[in-house]
Amino acid sequence: MTMPVTSNERSAGLYDEQLEEAFRRRPTPLLIKHKARIKAFFAAVVPLLLSLGLILLVWQLLCIKPTSALPSPSRIWSEANELILHPFYESGSQDIGLGWRVLTSLKRVAVGFGFASIAGILLGAFVGQSQWATRGLDPIFQVLRTVPPLAWLPISLAAFRDSQPSAIFVIFITSIWPIIINTAVGIRNIPQDYRNVAAVLQLNPLEFFWKIMIPSAAPYIFTGLRIGIGLSWLAIVAAEMLTGGVGIGFFIWDAWNSSRLPDIFVALAYIGITGFVLDRVVATIGTLATRGVQSN
Amino acid sequence: MTGYLKIENVCKIYTRGAVTTVVLEDICLRVEKGEFVSIIGHSGCGKSTLLNIVAGLTSATSGGVILEEREVNSPGPDRAVVFQNHSLLPWLSAYENVRLAVDKVFGGTMSRAERHEWTTHNLELVQMTHAAEKRPGEISGGMKQRVGIARALAMRPKVLLLDEPFGALDALTRAHLQDQVMALHESLGNTVMMITHDVDEAVLLSDRIVMMTNGPNATIGEALEVGLARPRRRVALAADATYLERRQRVLQFLYERNRYVDAA
């Protein structure tokens, strides 16, 4: 206990008071201070680790024979631990870590999804606002929405004659539909009250868009964006398998062609975790941005 | 009687397929500047439709509304509405809700500092300064309605339209807000048109009570000058002979001559 040395002249009463004060102010041990949080952390993590361990164990047992078609976890570790341990190594333009590859793919997704968000929200606002547009365009969107990403690729390659913009276009066209459709639903569901307020205030269309439409439809828009980012991440892997480059999608194709099955499994884990993180990021932004909108 | 706000021969007819329903028939009403007029009637008599026509949110089938010698047929801040369900934007704080109106109406004539001042002033009028930064979801129903009143007042409207403003509130909060609205009307001298179905509220607050007959084909059945001196005190009035007589007359109109018929 660190306490200023008190001189002998001080009365015993004062001394006791200081001692008490110092005792009260002593730092709480970290373990006790964060006990609740540590408990919550373990409560969340332990079941996850246990199930993960169980799955790996079953997998290991199923693929334990050296002749089995798919590699066991232990074989993946022994043959591909380089990829897991060093996600950001660089030795040559084509020989880079999976972290870099994921980042390259993410860049493409960012561009394609960015365009899809802007275009999707604008188109959705237009469609939601006009009954005529809803009747005319909604069925078309509903049909196009079901076209799988890879089916767009030949058209896109023919149109752009280059793999880079084609890959981005595939992401764009895959992720735009849920954004349009959800935004339109959100706009259609703007309560008449808010429209009345806007009318009394004589908001012009631009002000109405920014001050009423976007905030009011935000929960719907973010639902669309969340579905959209998931789809775009699905599309990038497929698109890159065909267009080449250094993305994570092409890595899988490349590994397949050179029979490096363990590498593919590691890449799958990277893709899955990245997709999960993307989803959480959009969901978190959505929760922050739509605070209050629902609590009416 | 010149009339500051004139409602002239307003009819409202809804047509759905082959069925036409006359909701309002030949409504004529003149409201003087600074006058507090209540419109009372059973639910479904079209009194809210009438208010919406004055606000410009609904258009009349025939007839028109004249405010200060000019016809009005589209919504605008000169006829600010306090909506029944407050209609605050839930993503904005109380201050921002009022500020949005202030910015829109006075954006060209007031400086940024003046607009801030005016916003704060109007929140003060309804005693909501303490919760200015709260969002509508975080404050009570009565407080929301006060912010709604502040937003309407902040537009400095020629006519303040109240659409059953206290309908969704509990009795005590309602009484408290009625007193506040009375005090505001006293000090600011607004022209007010209020829709209500509460007889006591109508007699307590208004200079004149306009009673509507039952729909369809609803029209103004009778208008009653309240003629009670202001300021009015609800407790003192409870035993006041004039007050009771006025109350009696409205009740007679509503429950004897125009008994509510359930159409359904």
Side-chain angles (χ1 to χ4, degrees):
Chain A
M1 199 174 298
T2 54
M3 258 201 60
V5 183
T6 45
S7 63
N8 293 329
E9 283 101 311
R10 293 202 186 233
S11 72
L14 188 67
Y15 184 78
D16 280 344
E17 222 168 77
Q18 283 193 349
L19 187 68
E20 236 167 66
E21 171 71 13
F23 183 74
R24 228 166 12 88
R25 288 198 182 181
R26 79 199 189 284
T28 332
L30 279 177
L31 214 61
I32 294 173
K33 203 171 160 190
H34 298 291
K35 199 176 169 192
R37 273 193 219 166
I38 292 169
K39 252 188 173 169
F41 176 76
F42 276 106
V45 161
V46 168
L48 175 67
L49 287 179
L50 279 179
S51 10
L52 199 62
L54 203 67
I55 291 169
L56 287 176
L57 185 71
V58 172
W59 180 4
Q60 180 73 28
L61 290 176
L62 284 176
C63 302
I64 202 155
K65 272 193 281 179
T67 52
S68 75
L70 296 175
S72 65
S74 64
R75 215 180 106 207
I76 293 174
W77 175 257
S78 64
E79 286 181 28
N81 64 41
E82 191 71 4
L83 293 174
I84 301 168
L85 296 175
H86 305 286
F88 289 103
Y89 77 87
E90 247 182 313
S91 49
S93 66
Q94 288 300 310
D95 189 14
I96 57 175
L98 284 182
W100 290 119
R101 291 179 189 274
V102 166
L103 282 180
T104 316
S105 300
L106 277 179
K107 254 185 248 163
R108 290 203 184 107
V109 167
V111 177
F113 181 69
F115 281 125
S117 309
I118 296 166
I121 291 173
L122 290 175
L123 259 170
F126 169 68
V127 172
Q129 189 64 339
S130 139
Q131 208 158 54
W132 196 91
T134 304
R135 285 183 194 146
L137 293 173
D138 196 59
I140 300 176
F141 292 158
Q142 296 290 356
V143 168
L144 288 178
R145 169 176 87 85
T146 62
V147 175
L150 278 187
W152 290 105
L153 196 64
I155 300 169
S156 145
L157 276 171
F160 293 101
R161 296 171 188 286
D162 185 10
S163 65
Q164 286 302 325
S166 297
I168 287 171
F169 177 78
V170 168
I171 292 165
F172 171 86
I173 205 77
T174 310
S175 56
I176 195 169
W177 311 113
I179 303 176
I180 295 179
I181 292 166
N182 280 281
T183 305
V185 172
I187 301 289
R188 272 201 293 277
N189 282 338
I190 295 177
Q192 187 58 37
D193 299 340
Y194 303 165
R195 294 184 188 275
N196 287 346
V197 169
V200 169
L201 289 177
Q202 293 179 333
L203 297 183
N204 63 40
L206 202 65
E207 288 168 326
F208 183 69
F209 179 77
W210 283 115
K211 298 197 166 152
I212 309 279
M213 266 184 168
I214 292 294
S216 175
Y220 292 89
I221 294 176
F222 274 99
T223 306
L225 290 177
R226 215 173 139 187
I227 301 171
I229 193 105
L231 287 180
S232 67
W233 190 235
L234 291 183
I236 183 74
V237 175
E240 279 178 350
M241 281 190 182
L242 295 181
T243 56
V246 289
I248 187 84
F250 181 67
F251 175 83
I252 292 180
W253 190 240
D254 197 35
W256 167 247
N257 284 329
S258 43
S259 310
R260 287 179 282 119
L261 266 182
D263 289 11
I264 296 181
F265 279 94
V266 177
L268 283 188
Y270 270 86
I271 291 170
I273 291 166
T274 311
F276 175 74
V277 169
L278 281 179
D279 183 68
R280 296 317 306 169
V281 166
V282 176
T284 309
I285 296 174
T287 325
L288 290 178
T290 59
R291 246 179 323 163
V293 177
Q294 243 113 355
S295 61
N296 190 8
Chain B
M1 289 261 277
T2 45
Y4 184 63
L5 171 74
K6 287 187 270 195
I7 300 171
E8 304 214 315
N9 306 94
V10 162
C11 293
K12 180 70 187 176
I13 300 166
Y14 282 112
T15 313
R16 190 162 293 161
V19 188
T20 56
T21 319
V22 181
V23 180
L24 294 173
E25 192 175 291
D26 205 28
I27 304 265
C28 291
L29 179 65
R30 287 168 178 231
V31 181
E32 297 305 318
K33 193 169 184 172
E35 196 179 13
F36 196 125
V37 171
S38 287
I39 295 174
I40 196 164
H42 291 292
S43 46
C45 75
K47 52 193 194 301
S48 280
T49 309
L50 179 62
L51 185 109
N52 281 340
I53 289 172
V54 176
L57 295 169
T58 307
S59 59
T61 310
S62 67
V65 178
I66 293 163
L67 176 61
E68 242 187 357
E69 309 302 327
R70 285 179 58 190
E71 183 174 8
V72 284
N73 46 23
S74 62
D78 55 343
R79 284 150 292 133
V81 189
V82 177
F83 298 95
Q84 181 176 9
N85 54 353
H86 68 78
S87 294
L88 298 177
L89 304 178
W91 52 89
L92 299 179
S93 68
Y95 173 87
E96 289 165 331
N97 264 292
V98 179
R99 181 66 187 265
L100 177 68
V102 172
D103 281 348
K104 190 57 199 160
V105 180
F106 300 109
T109 51
M110 282 187 185
S111 72
R112 183 176 277 271
E114 282 171 326
R115 278 179 275 146
H116 169 72
E117 191 72 13
W118 179 240
T119 308
T120 322
H121 171 73
N122 278 284
L123 283 168
E124 259 165 43
L125 281 181
V126 296
Q127 287 147 39
M128 281 299 296
T129 340
H130 64 286
E133 295 313 318
K134 292 252 165 64
R135 287 163 190 257
E138 302 163 338
I139 57 181
S140 71
M143 287 161 100
K144 281 183 233 185
Q145 206 50 278
R146 268 146 70 184
V147 178
I149 293 170
R151 177 174 63 184
L153 287 175
M155 298 177 209
R156 217 178 257 159
K158 289 175 182 161
V159 181
L160 187 60
L161 303 172
L162 308 176
D163 187 3
E164 296 187 29
F166 317 123
L169 304 175
D170 66 90
L172 288 176
T173 314
R174 188 184 312 165
H176 178 63
L177 271 183
Q178 285 166 349
D179 290 343
Q180 271 194 335
V181 165
M182 241 189 322
L184 285 172
H185 178 242
E186 206 83 34
S187 58
L188 303 176
N190 298 94
T191 309
V192 186
M193 189 169 142
M194 178 175 78
I195 302 290
T196 183
H197 51 229
D198 180 334
V199 177
D200 290 294
E201 179 172 285
V203 180
L204 179 68
L205 293 180
S206 16
D207 297 313
R208 192 149 51 104
I209 302 172
V210 174
M211 293 170 259
M212 288 183 68
T213 61
N214 282 333
N217 301 58
T219 189
I220 293 175
E222 199 177 314
L224 175 72
E225 291 286 340
V226 175
L228 288 166
R230 291 179 189 271
R232 299 172 183 170
R233 300 269 168 271
R234 77 171 59 240
V235 181
L237 281 177
D240 185 288
T242 326
Y243 177 85
L244 293 173
E245 191 267 333
R246 298 291 189 261
R247 193 170 173 278
Q248 188 64 24
R249 280 185 52 187
V250 180
L251 285 172
Q252 269 169 3
F253 178 89
L254 288 177
Y255 297 104
E256 284 174 16
R257 274 171 289 155
N258 283 278
R259 194 189 297 276
Y260 179 64
V261 241
D262 200 347

